[in-house]
Short mmCIF file of all heavy atoms in Angstrom, two decimals:
data_model
loop_
_atom_site.label_atom_id
_atom_site.label_comp_id
_atom_site.label_asym_id
_atom_site.label_seq_id
_atom_site.Cartn_x
_atom_site.Cartn_y
_atom_site.Cartn_z
N GLY A 67 -229.11 -73.42 -70.06
CA GLY A 67 -229.82 -72.49 -70.95
C GLY A 67 -229.66 -71.04 -70.52
O GLY A 67 -230.60 -70.23 -70.78
N ILE A 68 -228.53 -70.67 -69.97
CA ILE A 68 -228.28 -69.24 -69.59
C ILE A 68 -226.96 -68.83 -70.14
O ILE A 68 -226.08 -69.56 -70.46
CB ILE A 68 -228.30 -69.06 -68.06
CG1 ILE A 68 -227.22 -69.90 -67.34
CG2 ILE A 68 -229.69 -69.40 -67.49
CD1 ILE A 68 -227.04 -69.57 -65.90
N ASP A 69 -226.80 -67.47 -70.20
CA ASP A 69 -225.52 -66.88 -70.52
C ASP A 69 -224.62 -66.97 -69.34
O ASP A 69 -225.03 -66.59 -68.22
CB ASP A 69 -225.77 -65.38 -70.93
CG ASP A 69 -224.53 -64.64 -71.34
OD1 ASP A 69 -223.37 -65.17 -71.14
OD2 ASP A 69 -224.69 -63.56 -71.88
N PRO A 70 -223.38 -67.44 -69.50
CA PRO A 70 -222.49 -67.57 -68.32
C PRO A 70 -222.10 -66.27 -67.70
O PRO A 70 -221.63 -66.25 -66.58
CB PRO A 70 -221.32 -68.36 -68.86
CG PRO A 70 -221.31 -68.08 -70.35
CD PRO A 70 -222.75 -67.90 -70.72
N GLY A 71 -222.20 -65.18 -68.42
CA GLY A 71 -221.77 -63.90 -67.85
C GLY A 71 -220.27 -63.86 -67.72
O GLY A 71 -219.54 -64.58 -68.29
N GLY A 72 -219.82 -62.99 -66.84
CA GLY A 72 -218.38 -62.80 -66.61
C GLY A 72 -218.07 -63.02 -65.18
O GLY A 72 -218.69 -63.75 -64.49
N GLU A 73 -217.00 -62.34 -64.80
CA GLU A 73 -216.48 -62.49 -63.43
C GLU A 73 -217.48 -62.04 -62.42
O GLU A 73 -218.28 -61.11 -62.68
CB GLU A 73 -215.22 -61.68 -63.28
CG GLU A 73 -214.49 -61.91 -61.96
CD GLU A 73 -213.12 -61.27 -61.97
OE1 GLU A 73 -212.28 -61.57 -62.83
OE2 GLU A 73 -212.87 -60.47 -61.03
N GLY A 74 -217.53 -62.74 -61.30
CA GLY A 74 -218.44 -62.30 -60.22
C GLY A 74 -217.72 -62.48 -58.89
O GLY A 74 -216.66 -63.05 -58.78
N GLY A 75 -218.29 -61.88 -57.87
CA GLY A 75 -217.70 -62.01 -56.52
C GLY A 75 -217.98 -60.84 -55.66
O GLY A 75 -218.87 -60.02 -55.93
N ASN A 76 -217.21 -60.83 -54.59
CA ASN A 76 -217.36 -59.74 -53.60
C ASN A 76 -215.92 -59.41 -53.04
O ASN A 76 -214.93 -59.83 -53.68
CB ASN A 76 -218.33 -60.20 -52.50
CG ASN A 76 -217.89 -61.51 -51.82
OD1 ASN A 76 -216.73 -61.80 -51.63
ND2 ASN A 76 -218.91 -62.37 -51.56
N ASP A 77 -215.87 -58.79 -51.90
CA ASP A 77 -214.57 -58.43 -51.36
C ASP A 77 -213.77 -59.63 -50.78
O ASP A 77 -212.60 -59.50 -50.49
CB ASP A 77 -214.68 -57.31 -50.31
CG ASP A 77 -215.46 -57.81 -49.08
OD1 ASP A 77 -216.25 -58.73 -49.19
OD2 ASP A 77 -215.35 -57.19 -48.02
N ARG A 78 -214.44 -60.79 -50.65
CA ARG A 78 -213.76 -61.95 -50.09
C ARG A 78 -213.47 -63.04 -51.13
O ARG A 78 -212.49 -63.72 -51.04
CB ARG A 78 -214.64 -62.47 -48.96
CG ARG A 78 -214.15 -63.69 -48.23
CD ARG A 78 -213.13 -63.36 -47.19
NE ARG A 78 -213.69 -62.40 -46.28
CZ ARG A 78 -213.27 -62.24 -45.04
NH1 ARG A 78 -212.34 -63.02 -44.55
NH2 ARG A 78 -213.75 -61.30 -44.26
N PHE A 79 -214.39 -63.23 -52.07
CA PHE A 79 -214.28 -64.24 -53.09
C PHE A 79 -214.59 -63.68 -54.47
O PHE A 79 -215.43 -62.85 -54.59
CB PHE A 79 -215.23 -65.42 -52.83
CG PHE A 79 -215.19 -65.97 -51.45
CD1 PHE A 79 -216.13 -65.69 -50.52
CD2 PHE A 79 -214.14 -66.80 -51.07
CE1 PHE A 79 -216.09 -66.18 -49.25
CE2 PHE A 79 -214.09 -67.28 -49.82
CZ PHE A 79 -215.01 -67.00 -48.87
N ARG A 80 -213.91 -64.25 -55.47
CA ARG A 80 -214.31 -63.88 -56.85
C ARG A 80 -213.99 -65.10 -57.73
O ARG A 80 -213.18 -65.92 -57.44
CB ARG A 80 -213.62 -62.58 -57.30
CG ARG A 80 -212.16 -62.65 -57.46
CD ARG A 80 -211.66 -61.30 -57.96
NE ARG A 80 -210.19 -61.30 -57.94
CZ ARG A 80 -209.45 -60.20 -57.99
NH1 ARG A 80 -210.03 -59.03 -58.05
NH2 ARG A 80 -208.19 -60.26 -57.98
N SER A 81 -214.72 -65.12 -58.82
CA SER A 81 -214.60 -66.21 -59.80
C SER A 81 -214.61 -65.64 -61.21
O SER A 81 -215.21 -64.64 -61.45
CB SER A 81 -215.76 -67.16 -59.65
OG SER A 81 -215.92 -67.70 -58.41
N ARG A 82 -213.87 -66.37 -62.08
CA ARG A 82 -213.87 -65.89 -63.49
C ARG A 82 -215.28 -66.00 -64.06
O ARG A 82 -215.65 -65.19 -64.89
CB ARG A 82 -212.88 -66.73 -64.33
CG ARG A 82 -211.41 -66.29 -64.05
CD ARG A 82 -210.44 -66.92 -64.97
NE ARG A 82 -210.85 -67.03 -66.35
CZ ARG A 82 -210.38 -67.98 -67.18
NH1 ARG A 82 -209.47 -68.82 -66.77
NH2 ARG A 82 -210.79 -68.03 -68.39
N VAL A 83 -215.97 -67.06 -63.68
CA VAL A 83 -217.39 -67.20 -64.04
C VAL A 83 -218.13 -67.68 -62.80
O VAL A 83 -217.62 -68.58 -62.06
CB VAL A 83 -217.57 -68.32 -65.18
CG1 VAL A 83 -219.05 -68.47 -65.47
CG2 VAL A 83 -216.78 -67.94 -66.39
N HIS A 84 -219.23 -66.99 -62.49
CA HIS A 84 -220.04 -67.39 -61.32
C HIS A 84 -221.45 -67.62 -61.82
O HIS A 84 -222.06 -66.71 -62.45
CB HIS A 84 -219.93 -66.30 -60.25
CG HIS A 84 -220.83 -66.66 -59.06
ND1 HIS A 84 -221.97 -66.01 -58.79
CD2 HIS A 84 -220.59 -67.61 -58.09
CE1 HIS A 84 -222.52 -66.58 -57.66
NE2 HIS A 84 -221.68 -67.53 -57.25
N LEU A 85 -221.97 -68.78 -61.52
CA LEU A 85 -223.36 -69.14 -61.86
C LEU A 85 -224.17 -69.32 -60.59
O LEU A 85 -223.68 -70.00 -59.65
CB LEU A 85 -223.45 -70.44 -62.71
CG LEU A 85 -222.54 -70.44 -63.93
CD1 LEU A 85 -222.63 -71.86 -64.61
CD2 LEU A 85 -222.98 -69.42 -64.93
N HIS A 86 -225.32 -68.82 -60.60
CA HIS A 86 -226.26 -68.92 -59.43
C HIS A 86 -227.48 -69.63 -60.04
O HIS A 86 -228.34 -68.98 -60.62
CB HIS A 86 -226.62 -67.53 -58.89
CG HIS A 86 -227.38 -67.51 -57.67
ND1 HIS A 86 -226.84 -67.74 -56.42
CD2 HIS A 86 -228.69 -67.30 -57.43
CE1 HIS A 86 -227.75 -67.64 -55.52
NE2 HIS A 86 -228.92 -67.39 -56.07
N LEU A 87 -227.50 -70.98 -59.93
CA LEU A 87 -228.49 -71.78 -60.63
C LEU A 87 -229.67 -72.09 -59.70
O LEU A 87 -229.44 -72.71 -58.59
CB LEU A 87 -227.88 -73.08 -61.13
CG LEU A 87 -226.67 -72.91 -62.03
CD1 LEU A 87 -226.11 -74.34 -62.43
CD2 LEU A 87 -226.97 -72.08 -63.25
N GLU A 88 -230.84 -71.75 -60.11
CA GLU A 88 -232.03 -72.02 -59.34
C GLU A 88 -232.86 -73.06 -60.17
O GLU A 88 -232.66 -73.15 -61.37
CB GLU A 88 -232.83 -70.75 -59.16
CG GLU A 88 -232.07 -69.70 -58.26
CD GLU A 88 -232.84 -68.45 -58.02
OE1 GLU A 88 -233.95 -68.33 -58.50
OE2 GLU A 88 -232.32 -67.61 -57.28
N GLY A 89 -233.68 -73.77 -59.47
CA GLY A 89 -234.47 -74.81 -60.16
C GLY A 89 -234.49 -76.11 -59.42
O GLY A 89 -235.25 -77.01 -59.72
N ALA A 90 -233.66 -76.17 -58.37
CA ALA A 90 -233.62 -77.33 -57.45
C ALA A 90 -234.02 -76.76 -56.09
O ALA A 90 -233.98 -75.54 -55.90
CB ALA A 90 -232.26 -77.96 -57.47
N PRO A 91 -234.25 -77.62 -55.12
CA PRO A 91 -234.56 -77.09 -53.79
C PRO A 91 -233.55 -76.17 -53.17
O PRO A 91 -233.85 -75.18 -52.51
CB PRO A 91 -234.74 -78.33 -52.91
CG PRO A 91 -235.18 -79.44 -53.94
CD PRO A 91 -234.43 -79.09 -55.21
N LEU A 92 -232.28 -76.47 -53.39
CA LEU A 92 -231.18 -75.59 -52.97
C LEU A 92 -230.57 -74.92 -54.18
O LEU A 92 -230.42 -75.51 -55.23
CB LEU A 92 -230.05 -76.40 -52.25
CG LEU A 92 -230.46 -77.23 -51.04
CD1 LEU A 92 -229.33 -78.00 -50.48
CD2 LEU A 92 -231.12 -76.38 -49.95
N VAL A 93 -230.16 -73.67 -54.01
CA VAL A 93 -229.45 -72.99 -55.08
C VAL A 93 -228.10 -73.64 -55.33
O VAL A 93 -227.47 -74.04 -54.32
CB VAL A 93 -229.30 -71.47 -54.72
CG1 VAL A 93 -228.37 -70.76 -55.71
CG2 VAL A 93 -230.65 -70.80 -54.70
N ILE A 94 -227.69 -73.74 -56.56
CA ILE A 94 -226.37 -74.27 -56.84
C ILE A 94 -225.50 -73.08 -57.27
O ILE A 94 -225.75 -72.43 -58.25
CB ILE A 94 -226.47 -75.30 -57.98
CG1 ILE A 94 -227.38 -76.44 -57.61
CG2 ILE A 94 -225.04 -75.81 -58.33
CD1 ILE A 94 -227.67 -77.41 -58.73
N ASP A 95 -224.42 -72.82 -56.48
CA ASP A 95 -223.49 -71.76 -56.76
C ASP A 95 -222.26 -72.40 -57.38
O ASP A 95 -221.54 -73.16 -56.77
CB ASP A 95 -223.09 -71.03 -55.48
CG ASP A 95 -224.02 -69.95 -55.14
OD1 ASP A 95 -224.52 -69.28 -56.05
OD2 ASP A 95 -224.31 -69.77 -53.94
N VAL A 96 -222.01 -72.05 -58.68
CA VAL A 96 -220.90 -72.61 -59.41
C VAL A 96 -219.84 -71.54 -59.48
O VAL A 96 -220.10 -70.39 -59.97
CB VAL A 96 -221.36 -72.99 -60.84
CG1 VAL A 96 -220.16 -73.52 -61.61
CG2 VAL A 96 -222.46 -74.02 -60.77
N MET A 97 -218.66 -71.84 -59.05
CA MET A 97 -217.50 -70.91 -59.04
C MET A 97 -216.39 -71.48 -59.94
O MET A 97 -215.98 -72.61 -59.69
CB MET A 97 -216.97 -70.65 -57.65
CG MET A 97 -218.06 -69.96 -56.80
SD MET A 97 -217.89 -70.22 -55.01
CE MET A 97 -218.60 -71.89 -54.88
N ALA A 98 -216.03 -70.69 -60.91
CA ALA A 98 -214.96 -71.10 -61.84
C ALA A 98 -213.66 -70.34 -61.51
O ALA A 98 -213.67 -69.14 -61.49
CB ALA A 98 -215.39 -70.89 -63.27
#
Side-chain angles (χ1 to χ4, degrees):
I68 60 170
D69 180 347
E73 187 171 304
N76 55 39
D77 63 338
R78 181 79 56 156
F79 307 105
R80 64 180 175 197
S81 302
R82 284 189 39 206
V83 179
H84 179 252
L85 307 175
H86 188 78
L87 306 178
E88 297 180 359
L92 303 178
V93 169
I94 301 171
D95 275 322
V96 179
M97 294 154 283

